[in-house]
Amino acid sequence: MSGGPVRLDSLPTPYFSEPLHVGRPNVGSRDRLMERIDGALERLWFTNDGPLVREFEARVAELTQVRHCVAVSNATTGIQVAAKALGIGPGDEVIVPSFTWVATAHALDWIGAVPVFCELDEETGTADVAHVERLIGPRTRAILDVHVFGRPARIDELTKLAAEHGLHLLFDAAHAFGCTYRSKPIGGFGTAEIFSFQATKFVNSFEGGAIVTDDDALADRLRAMRHQGLNAAHEITGSGTVARMHEISAAMGLTSLESADHFTAINRRNYRLYEQYLDGLPGVRVRPQDPNELSNCQYVVIEVDAVRAGLHRDELQAVLQRHNVLARAYFSPGCHSCEPYRSDLARHAPDPLPKVEALTERVLSLPTGTAVGPEEVRGVCRILRAAVDGSAVPEIHESTEGDAGGRPAR
Ligand code: T4K
């Protein structure tokens, strides 16, 4: 450790003069973005399967090694369209984790399906497979797990379970573009996976999402359903909605994809720095990535053990906020404790979910991404250390050369 004890009130307040956000968008080359937008303006082709959307779909399919990518307006509608295309509808139960962003559950609720919440697996934060199995009943039609914070779900076990019970298996991969499971890109598992390309995501298209699948017939239905039920021959084949991605979104998505390696390098550097600066701090740990997989490291999530740290996650969040660090308690509370689900717990959460309850009290997402540089990470860790035990951040000698990060590239 360098220096003596650091009292919280000895730090300049606020430590940061400008707010330091979680979820600042990764931008990529503005020049490339503007070129693409200019091209769309020249072509006068703005939506409905335009050339940029097609290029974006082809690129996502190639990178994730799947046969079909169907770009959509966001992941929430993507889940709705995917579920509808699989025939899931009113009264059908879908088992989902409670520890996720509420969009996972709301997407199902919005089409009349019933999200039934399962317990979490402590290591991955994803669905506890044994509990999923116990929840399967006569109305269960599908399992929808989430690769939460980019950490893959227990995919092999869920695949086996879904096959044994004749269930569809979907993955909400909103956080997991660019991550792998058993060295294979996330995207190619289950019946279909759904990515989000919303502004705060690793790769973004301002707003956007994509459903990826190897199932040819399903892909045809998805394409029609996202576009009022029209097929490629412009015939109305059935019911549909408007869930299309437009050209400006695809322009951003393509630009963002071009810089994905750069985003990953910055995220990994920040992640490593957080780990090192927080090493040994009582009651605070950075939730680990799977060392055997590639991760986009888009989320740096700490867990705060209130007893060992001497203060609760909410208190630590308030301290950070006083210093202009706008850390977020993703995902707290668990979905089963949110409306409309908590008003009908017998239906949505037939079993208690103590591990979800415990984790949602401890998690805190810290700022990272290309808008966050090494000095900012160090500053956040200085505040955390000062608040918990007054220790100084350790000296670390990692070179940050070659990481052009801290600011979006031009
Ligand atoms: N499944 C999962 C597991 C998800 O996490 C999500 C979305 C979805 C499905 C649904 O995906 P989409 O249908 O949206 O494609 C944010 C995001 O808005 C939400 O998309 C995301 N999950 C969730 C985890 O986080 P909020 O309400 O906390 O967002 P907001 O607007 O308060 O922004 C969060 C932080 O990001 C702030 O500190 C400000 C910063 N920010 C945000 C935006 C939009 C920026 O700096 N610039 C921006 O443009 O939900």
Side-chain angles (χ1 to χ4, degrees):
M1 303 287 163
S2 64
V6 182
R7 288 164 47 105
L8 198 51
D9 57 14
S10 73
L11 296 180
T13 305
Y15 190 95
F16 293 101
S17 55
E18 297 291 324
L20 194 57
H21 288 276
V22 167
R24 276 290 197 225
N26 295 324
V27 177
S29 162
R30 290 186 198 188
D31 294 340
R32 292 287 291 138
L33 173 63
M34 294 310 168
E35 270 170 39
R36 289 190 166 105
I37 293 176
D38 250 357
L41 293 172
E42 287 295 320
R43 282 188 295 276
L44 292 178
W45 196 281
F46 293 169
T47 186
N48 288 6
D49 237 1
L52 294 176
V53 167
R54 282 175 180 246
E55 188 184 340
F56 182 65
E57 290 181 332
R59 195 80 191 102
V60 169
E62 181 190 337
L63 288 167
T64 54
Q65 297 169 20
V66 290
R67 287 168 61 79
H68 304 281
C69 167
V70 180
V72 287
S73 46
N74 56 65
T76 308
T77 35
I79 296 171
Q80 288 163 3
V81 169
K84 282 272 269 187
L86 292 171
I88 295 167
D92 290 335
E93 292 183 359
V94 180
I95 300 171
V96 293
S98 174
F99 185 67
T100 177
W101 184 242
V102 76
T104 316
H106 280 357
L108 297 165
D109 180 64
W110 202 250
I111 61 165
V114 182
V116 176
F117 296 110
C118 69
E119 186 54 293
L120 60 78
D121 167 89
E122 280 170 317
E123 189 185 338
T124 60
T126 67
D128 171 337
V129 181
H131 190 227
V132 171
E133 185 164 19
R134 287 203 297 282
L135 289 174
I136 294 172
R139 292 189 184 177
T140 309
R141 293 288 312 281
I143 301 165
L144 167 58
D145 200 1
V146 182
H147 307 301
V148 72
F149 305 135
R151 183 106 196 212
R154 300 280 186 199
I155 295 177
D156 285 350
E157 294 95 315
L158 287 172
T159 304
K160 186 164 169 279
L161 187 65
E164 280 168 7
H165 292 267
L167 302 175
H168 297 298
L169 178 61
L170 295 168
F171 291 105
D172 174 339
H175 303 171
F177 190 83
C179 301
T180 62
Y181 176 75
R182 299 202 190 285
S183 306
K184 192 177 158 221
I186 291 294
F189 300 99
T191 317
E193 302 207 49
I194 300 97
F195 291 116
S196 171
F197 300 117
Q198 187 263 357
T200 64
K201 301 303 187 300
F202 170 62
V203 160
N204 88 87
S205 61
F206 298 120
E207 292 275 4
I211 311 163
V212 286
T213 181
D214 284 321
D215 182 328
D216 299 348
L218 175 63
D220 284 346
R221 290 202 298 283
L222 294 170
R223 286 185 194 286
M225 286 178 109
R226 74 167 170 185
H227 182 39
Q228 319 270 33
L230 269 67
N231 68 10
H234 230 251
E235 298 153 344
I236 299 168
T237 58
S239 178
T241 185
V242 175
R244 303 175 296 246
M245 178 179 275
H246 57 68
E247 291 288 276
I248 305 302
S249 268
M252 183 59 161
L254 283 164
T255 305
S256 192
L257 275 181
E258 275 167 1
S259 293
D261 289 346
H262 171 72
F263 303 158
T264 308
I266 301 298
N267 282 350
R268 291 212 180 117
R269 178 205 62 199
N270 287 350
Y271 184 87
R272 243 183 357 253
L273 288 173
Y274 273 117
E275 277 189 324
Q276 290 172 301
Y277 284 136
L278 295 176
D279 187 35
L281 184 62
V284 175
R285 74 158 193 155
V286 179
R287 273 191 73 80
Q289 297 293 337
D290 184 335
N292 301 314
E293 303 293 349
L294 291 178
S295 171
N296 58 31
C297 291
Q298 178 72 3
Y299 300 89
V300 175
V301 182
I302 56 168
E303 270 184 57
V304 184
D305 175 334
V307 174
R308 293 187 53 230
L311 73 180
H312 185 269
R313 182 270 320 278
D314 293 348
E315 295 171 291
L316 209 47
Q317 186 179 16
V319 169
L320 287 170
Q321 179 141 10
R322 275 203 294 285
H323 287 281
N324 250 336
V325 179
L326 308 184
R328 291 291 186 112
Y330 294 130
F331 296 106
S332 177
C335 294
H336 71 285
S337 303
C338 300
E339 293 297 355
Y341 315 110
R342 71 172 181 188
S343 294
D344 194 356
L345 270 187
R347 193 164 181 232
H348 293 288
D351 294 336
L353 302 172
K355 291 178 189 165
V356 175
E357 303 282 359
L359 189 60
T360 53
E361 285 295 306
R362 295 200 302 256
V363 277
L364 194 58
S365 288
L366 300 179
T368 186
T370 49
V372 177
E375 270 314 303
E376 282 142 338
V377 174
R378 187 167 176 278
V380 174
C381 295
R382 276 191 83 188
I383 301 165
L384 289 170
R385 283 195 169 270
V388 171
D389 69 353
S391 59
V393 290
E395 288 297 334
I396 58 173
H397 301 287
E398 181 177 3
S399 165
T400 50
E401 272 174 48
D403 287 340
R407 296 289 157 223
R410 261 210 85 83

